[in-house]
Amino acid sequence: MSRTEPAPAPHEDALQAAARHAPALHSTSLRIPATHPPRRGVFISFEGGDGAGKSTQMRMLRDHLVTERSVAEDLILTTREPGGTPLGESIRELLLHGEHVEPRAEALLYAADRAHHIATVVRPHLARGGLVLGDRYLDSSVAYQGAGRELSPEEIAGLSLWAVDGLLPHRTILLDVPTSALDERRGPAGKDRLESAGLEFHEAVREEFLELARADPERYAVIDGTRPREEVHAEVLASVAEVLSLFDPTFEPVPPPRHRDEQ
Ligand SMILES: Nc1ncnc2c1ncn2[C@@H]1O[C@H](COP(=O)(O)OP(=O)(O)O)[C@@H](O)[C@H]1O
Ligand SMILES: Cc1cn([C@H]2C[C@H](O)[C@@H](COP(=O)(O)OP(=O)(O)O)O2)c(=O)[nH]c1=O
């Protein structure tokens, strides 16, 4: 396969350009390098085990921004992986409701879903100065596909970064909940689900998420997801305050234009 090096973006400095061509590997602790920080808009991802409260907290954050901070609804995109596009919904169906998928094929399907989702939905929204709240992103691939022990977290990180051309969230919120608590929270249906992949597997997923967070404390906020929803929400708000201030000025609530004879 021939590979054409992409031309450096005009705003890149030498370090960023070097990072762009460096292998996405980090031998002992994996810190996924941000090669293309978006210049406009803000991207926040939510990670954690199945049932950790990601969709609940995304909804609460979105509602807060709309009702308390007067953010225009169409500036906030809430999305998820797998499945943030029509193609992604088909891939999601294949991955979550189909037959056994070989580990490499599974990793490629998640990466394909992500590549399409980022290029067609997330980047365009960021480019217009919007806020993207993502229910799972590439850290989920590193944690889940890397936890199966057949593929290494480094390989998965490299594949995922290639798929999205280096895009990383400004902030990743990890809702950390022990596997036993997730099991209880999800009731009998959740129990089946967790048991179907094995409690050991889910412990490994949790550990991998915590390892990713330890390796990149600037991007990650780890929040104890076992606490009541409102308390978790308050911590989410505190952990996104800094990145929201980076928001493109078009995000700031714009006062309604004053009528000429009011001036
Ligand atoms: N802080 C919390 N404490 C107890 N239960 C919660 C909390 N947050 C969410 N839940 C409940 O746990 C279940 C899974 O939550 P959800 O937000 O769908 O998780 P996820 O999106 O991570 O799968 C839901 O029944 C939800 O109402
Ligand atoms: C995004 C992503 C998800 N997954 C898994 C994690 C979940 O078990 C599943 C997504 O299911 P989903 O129902 O969206 O998760 P949740 O129960 O947390 O709301 O796909 C991966 O294995 N790799 C990935 O890259």
Side-chain angles (χ1 to χ4, degrees):
M1 187 173 67
S2 75
R3 183 166 181 270
T4 325
E5 290 296 342
H11 59 266
E12 265 187 347
D13 62 22
L15 196 65
Q16 284 173 318
R20 224 150 89 85
H21 302 296
L25 298 179
H26 201 286
S27 56
T28 44
S29 66
L30 180 69
R31 183 181 191 283
I32 301 175
T35 48
H36 287 191
R39 301 238 112 194
R40 307 182 62 206
V42 164
F43 181 15
I44 297 170
S45 63
F46 287 75
E47 298 283 6
D50 300 15
K54 298 179 296 299
S55 20
T56 303
Q57 291 302 323
M58 266 176 57
R59 202 167 40 244
M60 290 173 87
L61 175 58
R62 184 187 178 284
D63 290 351
H64 168 87
L65 292 170
V66 171
T67 57
E68 310 290 321
R69 306 261 313 251
S70 312
V71 175
E73 288 192 44
D74 75 332
L75 275 180
I76 306 179
L77 171 72
T78 53
T79 186
R80 68 169 180 178
E81 290 186 0
T85 60
L87 173 68
E89 282 301 335
S90 303
I91 295 176
R92 182 182 173 93
E93 188 66 24
L94 291 173
L95 280 166
L96 302 184
H97 305 288
E99 293 166 5
H100 167 75
V101 185
E102 274 299 296
R104 281 172 195 270
E106 184 186 53
L108 287 165
L109 284 170
Y110 279 113
D113 163 67
R114 183 163 302 129
H116 190 66
H117 178 222
I118 292 304
T120 63
V121 176
V122 172
R123 280 192 190 271
H125 194 76
L126 291 173
R128 62 180 282 249
L131 172 66
V132 177
L133 303 181
D135 189 339
R136 298 194 181 280
Y137 189 48
L138 47 72
D139 304 83
S140 275
S141 280
V142 176
Y144 281 81
Q145 277 64 63
R149 294 206 190 89
E150 287 193 41
L151 302 171
S152 75
E154 287 80 7
E155 279 179 291
I156 303 291
L159 172 70
S160 302
L161 280 169
W162 178 83
V164 299
D165 198 15
L167 181 75
L168 278 187
H170 289 85
R171 178 110 319 148
T172 294
I173 291 168
L174 173 58
L175 298 173
D176 181 47
V177 178
T179 309
S180 54
L182 287 178
D183 208 7
E184 270 172 38
R185 189 180 281 183
R186 293 186 65 103
K191 210 166 263 180
D192 287 351
R193 185 169 174 180
L194 287 186
E195 280 173 355
S196 71
L199 290 177
E200 223 177 89
F201 172 80
H202 287 279
E203 290 291 352
V205 168
R206 182 183 179 212
E207 277 313 311
E208 188 57 49
F209 273 131
L210 289 169
E211 186 55 42
L212 283 165
R214 275 192 289 272
D216 197 354
E218 272 179 41
R219 174 163 68 97
Y220 261 94
V222 183
I223 296 178
D224 175 358
T226 61
R227 292 159 52 203
R229 288 171 184 75
E230 284 299 337
E231 284 183 27
V232 177
H233 175 59
E235 283 219 28
V236 169
L237 285 183
S239 66
V240 297
E242 185 195 350
V243 294
L244 285 182
S245 72
L246 295 174
F247 222 142
D248 187 90
T250 58
F251 175 82
E252 294 293 324
V254 181
R258 289 167 64 189
H259 199 266
R260 202 182 287 242
D261 45 20
E262 285 175 23
Q263 291 171 351

